């Protein structure tokens, strides 16, 4: 009897061991997609991850999502990328902090046939053929949207149409740097669209100043409208604040802050936004438009210190990145750029379900 019992126990142990051995083989049949973002702690990236996970569940793939503590930790991101590649992913989704730092890895992926999908700002100037597609906001379109919204404000348009070479006005865009593809795209989109709008109202009397990348002299030599581009000396809040203060001293009609860094700089330069109070603020007539979300920006919009802001759709950035990876693995042809969309919100619509879903603190 005891021998029979030992035999049964032995058989059960063998079956359990076999099942444990077989399980990884089943898991191995599930495509593994590694995602490396620019960060992780910020709620923007957490929302990107949520969208990516939803796509993973929809398409039956496994993902990992990693990002460095901050967007200045380039070496940390590279280490995360190397660790992900060591696990032999079927595909890779990457939002690179610095293209040169990941060029070797991109070439390796290309050699091994591992498709790479960019997301958010993607991988600007990547080696040819190394990026299959990029899921991102059309940042130039987003900047143009900000220009359209600013020009659509009655007092701004009145200032544009009423400007003269003897009484010129200033419209400004503030960015925290001139190298990030997403931020420069928004700057370019705003400048180009605002120039178009203003030049239609004031032909030959519009100039773009402040930075050589966007500089443009007026066609007539006279200036009634100056579109001032201000780039902070660094991404620090202090330098962004200094840039905002310098612009404010010019007495602009409107300012577009292209990202959270320039938004925070503007708020720091205006007593946390209270100087923009519509009734009692020191700069109560200044129109400011922001970009993205976050607690401080949401508060500024809700209090009407900022007229509004353009928001990306971080959830769909993550969702489309995984979807594009799956389609590529399935042999489907995908577009090189997939726009994940953007919206404009104000205190009037920020609680609407369709907009609220895109906002985060």
């Amino acid at each position: 009897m005891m021998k029979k019992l030992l035999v049964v126990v032995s058989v059960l142990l063998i079956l359990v061991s076999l099942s444990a051995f077989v399980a990884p083989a089943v898991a191995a049949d599930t495509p593994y997609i590694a995602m490396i973002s620019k960060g992780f702690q910020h709620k923007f990236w957490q929302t990107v991850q949520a969208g990516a996970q939803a796509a993973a569940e929809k398409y039956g793939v496994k993902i990992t999502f990693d990002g460095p503590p901050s967007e200045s930790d380039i070496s940390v991101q590279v280490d995360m990328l190397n660790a992900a590649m060591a696990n032999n992913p079927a595909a890779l989704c990457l939002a690179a902090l610095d293209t040169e730092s990941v060029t070797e890895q991109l070439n390796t992926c290309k050699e091994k046939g591992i498709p790479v999908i960019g997301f958010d700002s993607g991988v600007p100037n990547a080696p040819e053929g190394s990026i299959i597609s990029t899921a991102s906001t059309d940042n130039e379109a987003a900047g143009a949207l900000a220009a359209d919204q600013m020009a659509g404000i009655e007092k701004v348009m009145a200032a544009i149409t009423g400007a003269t070479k003897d009484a010129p006005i200033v419209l400004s865009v503030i960015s925290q740097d001139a190298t990030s593809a997403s931020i420069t795209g928004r700057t370019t989109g705003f400048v180009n669209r605002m120039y178009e709008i203003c030049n239609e109202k004031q032909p030959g009397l519009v100039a773009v100043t402040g930075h050589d990348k966007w500089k443009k002299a007026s066609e007539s030599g006279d200036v009634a409208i100056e579109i001032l581009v201000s780039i902070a000396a660094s991404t620090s809040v202090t330098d962004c604040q200094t840039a905002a203060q310098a612009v404010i001293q010019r007495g602009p009609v409107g300012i577009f802050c292209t990202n959270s860094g320039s938004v925070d700089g503007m708020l720091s330069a205006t007593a946390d936004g209270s100087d923009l109070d519509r009734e009692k603020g020191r700069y109560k007539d200044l129109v400011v438009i922001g970009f993205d979300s976050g607690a401080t920006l949401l508060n500024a919009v809700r209090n009407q210190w900022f007229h509004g802001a353009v928001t990306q759709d971080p959830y769909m950035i993550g969702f489309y990145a995984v979807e594009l990876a799956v389609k590529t693995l399935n042999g489907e042809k995908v577009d090189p750029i997939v726009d994940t969309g953007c919206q404009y919100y104000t205190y009037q619509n920020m609680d609407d379900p369709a907009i609220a879903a895109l906002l985060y603190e």
Side-chain angles (χ1 to χ4, degrees), residues 139-205:
N139 285 290
E140 288 198 21
L145 174 60
D148 284 332
Q149 292 293 332
M150 184 177 290
I153 299 169
E154 185 177 352
K155 64 180 177 181
V156 174
M157 182 52 70
I160 290 172
T161 56
T164 68
K165 64 180 182 178
D166 297 319
I169 68 166
V170 174
L171 298 166
S172 182
V173 52
I174 301 177
S175 297
Q176 74 173 22
D177 67 62
T179 56
S180 167
S182 56
I183 295 175
T184 56
R186 296 166 203 163
T187 306
T188 298
F190 179 86
V191 168
N192 289 349
R193 180 61 180 139
M194 188 58 80
Y195 182 90
E196 179 184 346
I197 293 169
C198 293
N199 205 49
E200 182 179 328
K201 299 295 181 182
Q202 300 282 1
L205 296 174

Side-chain angles (χ1 to χ4, degrees), residues 12-28:
L12 288 173
L13 289 172
I14 291 172
L15 290 173
V16 169
S17 298
L18 286 173
S19 67
F21 178 78
V22 173
V26 175

Side-chain angles (χ1 to χ4, degrees), residues 21-78:
F21 178 78
V22 173
V26 175
D29 293 334
T30 301
Y32 161 51
I33 300 170
M35 299 190 72
I36 307 296
S37 74
K38 287 183 174 182
F40 188 78
Q41 294 180 344
H42 197 285
K43 287 190 177 180
F44 176 88
W45 296 112
Q46 294 172 17
T47 306
V48 172
Q49 182 183 16
Q53 189 59 51
E57 293 172 3
K58 176 179 178 179
Y59 290 105
V61 298
K62 175 188 175 182
I63 68 167
T64 53
F65 192 99
D66 291 303
S70 75
E71 295 189 19
S72 61
D73 294 322
I74 295 173
S75 62
V76 176
Q77 186 188 55
V78 172

Side-chain angles (χ1 to χ4, degrees), residues 51-245:
Q53 189 59 51
E57 293 172 3
K58 176 179 178 179
Y59 290 105
V61 298
K62 175 188 175 182
I63 68 167
T64 53
F65 192 99
D66 291 303
S70 75
E71 295 189 19
S72 61
D73 294 322
I74 295 173
S75 62
V76 176
Q77 186 188 55
V78 172
D79 289 341
M80 289 178 168
L81 176 58
N82 289 334
M85 291 176 64
N87 289 324
N88 299 313
L92 177 70
C93 297
L94 176 62
L97 289 171
D98 178 75
T99 299
E100 291 186 6
S101 297
V102 298
T103 297
E104 180 183 343
Q105 290 84 350
L106 291 174
N107 286 328
T108 298
C109 286
K110 186 177 178 181
E111 292 170 4
K112 291 184 175 182
I114 301 172
V116 180
I117 304 297
F119 66 98
D120 187 48
S121 58
V123 192
N125 304 313
E128 184 176 357
S130 63
I131 304 297
I132 304 300
S133 182
T134 299
S136 66
T137 305
D138 183 334
N139 285 290
E140 288 198 21
L145 174 60
D148 284 332
Q149 292 293 332
M150 184 177 290
I153 299 169
E154 185 177 352
K155 64 180 177 181
V156 174
M157 182 52 70
I160 290 172
T161 56
T164 68
K165 64 180 182 178
D166 297 319
I169 68 166
V170 174
L171 298 166
S172 182
V173 52
I174 301 177
S175 297
Q176 74 173 22
D177 67 62
T179 56
S180 167
S182 56
I183 295 175
T184 56
R186 296 166 203 163
T187 306
T188 298
F190 179 86
V191 168
N192 289 349
R193 180 61 180 139
M194 188 58 80
Y195 182 90
E196 179 184 346
I197 293 169
C198 293
N199 205 49
E200 182 179 328
K201 299 295 181 182
Q202 300 282 1
L205 296 174
V206 185
V208 182
T209 66
H211 195 283
D212 288 344
K213 187 180 183 72
W214 293 276
K215 187 176 180 180
K216 187 173 185 178
S218 71
E219 295 170 354
S220 68
D222 293 321
V223 177
I225 301 175
E226 177 186 356
I227 301 173
L228 173 62
V229 179
S230 177
I231 306 296
S234 77
T235 60
S236 72
V237 174
T238 299
D239 283 338
C240 288
Q241 177 182 347
T242 299
Q245 288 170 331

